[in-house]
Amino acid sequence: MQGASLAFANNFNRSSVMKRIDMMRRPPSNPWMRSKLLYVVPILAITLVVSARPVFEPLILLDGEEISGDRFAHIQEDSIDHVEVLKGVSATTFYGEKGRGGAIVVTTKNASSE
């Protein structure tokens, strides 16, 4: 009976020692790695959701004609008579789906004199 109890005691101690040796062989845990799941993953998820939203360019109208942003950049300042900026509901009311990103309505001196 004494031999059996010694064998049990040796097995128990050996398994405990082996677990401790395995723990000592593992690299130490980094606090940043633990907090990554709590902080980085939700921030990354929010960033992806926000950046996935579509960005709507404003509708640019020059004397009632739709123009591109490049052409708008090259308009001479002296020829502008009036600029009107519409946002939100007012833009979509006047210009429908094209105006959902807002509208910039530019009237030149040539068009206003006609």
Side-chain angles (χ1 to χ4, degrees), residues 35-46:
S35 66
K36 184 166 55 172
L37 290 174
L38 294 174
Y39 297 108
V40 174
V41 171
I43 290 171
L44 181 65
I46 291 169

Side-chain angles (χ1 to χ4, degrees), residues 58 84-94 99-104:
E84 186 177 357
V85 178
L86 302 172
K87 296 190 283 185
V89 177
S90 61
T92 54
T93 301
F94 285 111
R100 65 182 167 201
I104 301 170

Side-chain angles (χ1 to χ4, degrees), residues 49-62:
V49 167
V50 169
S51 66
R53 292 182 181 168
V55 177
F56 299 112
E57 294 293 322
L59 175 66
I60 304 170
L61 297 167
L62 176 66

Side-chain angles (χ1 to χ4, degrees), residues 72-86:
F72 179 67
H74 296 293
I75 296 174
Q76 293 180 357
E77 297 171 8
D78 298 337
S79 67
I80 296 175
D81 182 45
H82 180 74
V83 176
E84 186 177 357
V85 178
L86 302 172

Side-chain angles (χ1 to χ4, degrees), residues 11-65:
N11 285 340
F12 180 75
N13 289 338
R14 183 174 184 270
S15 66
S16 177
V17 169
M18 292 305 286
K19 286 180 184 177
R20 288 185 180 181
I21 290 172
D22 284 343
M23 284 176 42
M24 287 189 285
R25 287 183 182 165
R26 290 184 195 155
S29 63
N30 185 349
W32 166 249
M33 295 304 285
R34 278 184 267 152
S35 66
K36 184 166 55 172
L37 290 174
L38 294 174
Y39 297 108
V40 174
V41 171
I43 290 171
L44 181 65
I46 291 169
T47 304
L48 289 173
V49 167
V50 169
S51 66
R53 292 182 181 168
V55 177
F56 299 112
E57 294 293 322
L59 175 66
I60 304 170
L61 297 167
L62 176 66
D63 298 329
E65 180 184 329

